[in-house]
Amino acid sequence: ITGMGFPTTADLAIFAYADVDGDGKRDLVAGAASCCTTATTRLRLWKGIDGGGLSSTYQSITFDGGATAIFLATSRVTAAPT
């Protein structure tokens, strides 16, 4: 992970690698406790692409504060409750 504005004394990046959008491809979500000066670039998502790689362009997720952990969960409803 490069270009996230880490100073030389920054905390390590944290990340999660899972299918975030339900398209069957694993995505990368990354941030850091001391990353970046604006909330719009502190947490980033690189979407999975065909062939197992990641998009070279990230999507920013506005996030106030510093990221110290990332937890992802998915849920899928397959039938309406009766």
Side-chain angles (χ1 to χ4, degrees):
I1 301 171
T2 60
M4 290 189 74
F6 301 129
T8 57
T9 59
D11 296 330
L12 295 175
I14 50 105
F15 63 91
Y17 188 52
D19 182 10
V20 174
D21 56 5
D23 65 357
K25 301 172 191 104
R26 292 180 9 164
D27 309 301
L28 177 66
V29 178
S34 60
C35 171
C36 316
T37 57
T38 60
T40 57
T41 59
R42 287 189 185 129
L43 196 60
R44 299 179 188 184
L45 165 68
W46 286 266
K47 296 188 84 175
I49 58 174
D50 291 333
L54 293 168
S55 171
S56 61
T57 305
Y58 64 85
Q59 296 177 6
S60 294
I61 304 166
T62 299
F63 179 75
D64 291 322
T68 57
I70 295 177
F71 299 95
L72 300 176
T74 58
S75 63
R76 181 173 294 147
V77 175
T78 57
T82 57

